[in-house]
Amino acid sequence: MPHALSDLVVHTVSKPVDDPAERLDADILVVGAGIAGLSAAIQARRLGRDVVLVDALPVLGGQCVNSMIGLFCGIYGNAPDYRQLTYGIFGELFEAMEKTNDIHYRRTHTQTVVYDEVALGRWFENIVQELGIRVVLGASVSGVGIEGGVIERVDFATRFGPVSVTARGVVDATGDAALAWEAGLPCQVPDRTVWGSQQIRLEGLDESGNPEPAELVARVDEKAAEYGLVRRDGLAFFFPGRNTAVMNMTHVEAPLGAVEAADAQLRGRAQADRVVKFLRREFPAAFKNAKVQAYGFPGRRQARWLAAAHQLTLDEVREETRFDDAVARTAWPVELHDRVEGYVWETFGPDHVHYVPLRSMLSPQARNLVAAGRCVDGDAAALSSVRVMGPCSAMGLAAAHALDLTLGEDIHQVDLTALRDRVRENVEG
């Protein structure tokens, strides 16, 4: 039978004067769907909790999928043993992506993992759906109801109207502590800009002509002024066999104002275009036919973070301080991007490991909130060494366990023996 187009009826509607919010109730609310938030949501759901996961982007994955970071950092220790320091979701994730040839292990002073962002994003989307985690996307925090240190409600603005979520436990994995800030909790900001990056993925390359890292850095330093490059070094992460690479060669401001942030994004993309021009001319063997396959969303490193019960310090990182409430560890260097032309890169020895305590994830003024990821508390240098994906994932997993153990109670009174038992794999051995 032919389709009757005339059967489609159009209705005229208007927004109601009293437009009610869409209301959701959950055991645990996770705000931020990057590596920390996803790790928290997945673990909480596997513990049997009803979970709502919210992100300001219209897609899952946060920076690890959408900013073209290109590689997992901080999961493994240093050479020569490269021992694994973070587990959690990485076992099943790496196994799945190995089967489709979508990851590649890269060994230098430590082991990092190059990955395909599209495959990673779909893996996250599939597991979130399989577990039945309720998701709200394109949603920015617009208000927080907090009473007596208990976050009772979080409101969000979306293009589809307001959404209000009540939950007994809350994870702030927003990266810039957006939830804690809206709740009126004290936060930290650096005294000068910590620069982010505008990553790009290039295609049409000839990986056989890939310049040595030292040669690339030397040429950038020599020619930066000629090409209008603000950062005087750079990194190229080639994915073997695909003639593609993620380029990390820009420095972009990370302001906390809406107009300034949009302007920084546009200027960052212009920087990236100048990088492509430089690469085509200076390294034609690899980049003569380079074309931008994708521009990542702006990559932000350190902009605003929680003022927690304990601030992790650079001395504690260097001295490998082992806390009684340690929940994450890494051997990643101090990587502080506090100047436009470059950054501090302080590596550690072969057996070095430093830790993140739960206290650096808890506000003294909140009883049911855990921060996870790059909005945990550290001085600027210490934070630069624990804000990468390995420890961020471990923090997300620990946040889920800590809330599961204390739901309806004070997170500061968590049973540390029970918590240590649950996160043992990420802090011992």
Side-chain angles (χ1 to χ4, degrees), residues 57-395:
L57 295 179
V59 288
L60 295 174
Q63 292 198 153
C64 70
V65 170
N66 302 295
S67 292
M68 303 287 169
I69 291 174
L71 75 168
F72 289 110
C73 303
I75 298 170
Y76 297 93
N78 295 330
D81 295 334
Y82 302 110
R83 64 191 178 109
Q84 189 166 348
L85 302 177
T86 304
Y87 292 85
I89 64 171
F90 290 119
E92 59 190 302
L93 170 58
F94 289 175
E95 181 181 3
M97 294 186 72
E98 283 168 1
K99 289 178 180 177
T100 55
N101 195 31
D102 285 315
I103 61 171
H104 168 71
Y105 297 92
R106 181 174 177 265
R107 286 185 165 180
T108 53
H109 73 283
T110 185
Q111 179 167 276
T112 54
V113 185
V114 181
Y115 61 88
D116 181 283
E117 295 89 358
V118 174
L120 176 64
R122 286 300 296 141
W123 187 86
F124 280 131
E125 290 166 353
N126 287 334
I127 197 167
V128 163
Q129 282 192 299
E130 288 167 9
L131 290 172
I133 296 170
R134 286 180 289 168
V135 174
V136 181
L137 296 174
S140 298
V141 179
S142 60
V144 178
I146 181 169
E147 185 69 36
V150 176
I151 294 176
E152 299 176 339
R153 186 193 75 258
V154 183
D155 299 326
F156 300 91
T158 84
R159 65 177 297 175
F160 305 106
V163 176
S164 185
V165 184
T166 57
R168 290 189 289 163
V170 180
V171 179
D172 186 341
T174 60
D176 295 332
L179 193 155
W181 179 256
E182 289 296 332
L185 301 174
C187 293
Q188 310 274 9
V189 292
D191 65 354
R192 60 186 180 275
T193 297
V194 177
W195 298 83
S197 288
Q198 172 60 62
Q199 309 276 84
I200 51 174
R201 179 172 289 280
L202 298 181
E203 62 183 358
L205 311 183
D206 182 348
E207 61 190 75
S208 66
N210 181 18
E212 291 296 320
E215 182 185 5
L216 177 61
V217 169
R219 191 73 58 82
V220 172
D221 188 50
E222 176 190 356
K223 300 278 190 173
E226 179 180 336
Y227 288 91
L229 308 182
V230 301
R231 181 170 165 179
R232 303 184 77 90
D233 60 30
L235 300 165
F237 305 124
F238 277 76
F239 198 111
R242 297 190 180 182
N243 289 313
T244 65
V246 168
M247 308 304 301
N248 181 355
M249 296 181 64
T250 62
H251 262 169
V252 182
E253 291 175 307
L256 293 166
V259 174
E260 293 90 344
D263 184 58
Q265 175 178 343
L266 295 175
R267 287 187 284 108
R269 292 193 173 200
Q271 266 193 65
D273 291 341
R274 295 195 293 273
V275 165
V276 176
K277 183 178 180 180
F278 161 83
L279 292 169
R280 286 172 179 159
R281 290 184 178 178
E282 299 296 328
F283 296 100
F287 296 101
K288 180 181 179 181
N289 298 312
K291 181 179 178 181
V292 178
Q293 184 182 77
Y295 295 85
F297 289 178
R300 298 165 71 91
R301 292 184 172 91
Q302 299 163 239
R304 180 179 59 213
W305 55 92
L306 184 71
H310 176 83
Q311 182 176 84
L312 184 68
T313 68
L314 177 59
D315 285 344
E316 290 168 338
V317 167
R318 286 172 169 166
E319 294 166 9
E320 305 175 78
T321 301
R322 178 66 181 271
F323 306 95
D324 62 354
D325 60 342
V327 295
R329 61 180 173 172
T330 188
W332 193 251
V334 172
E335 184 195 346
L336 184 58
H337 292 249
D338 65 339
R339 58 184 188 272
V340 69
E341 69 276 7
Y343 58 101
V344 176
W345 181 249
E346 180 184 322
T347 58
F348 301 110
D351 299 319
H352 176 95
V353 176
H354 53 275
Y355 299 86
V356 179
L358 180 66
R359 284 167 290 166
S360 293
M361 302 164 60
L362 305 181
S363 168
Q365 300 179 23
R367 300 177 65 234
N368 65 335
L369 172 71
V370 186
R374 62 186 178 89
C375 60
V376 304
D377 198 3
D379 66 38
L383 186 59
S384 78
S385 71
V386 299
R387 56 163 176 72
V388 293
M389 284 195 266
C392 284
S393 176
M395 287 184 254

Side-chain angles (χ1 to χ4, degrees), residues 26-45:
D27 294 323
I28 294 176
L29 166 65
V30 180
V31 186
I35 192 70
L38 283 162
S39 296
I42 290 167
Q43 185 59 55
R45 187 69 185 123

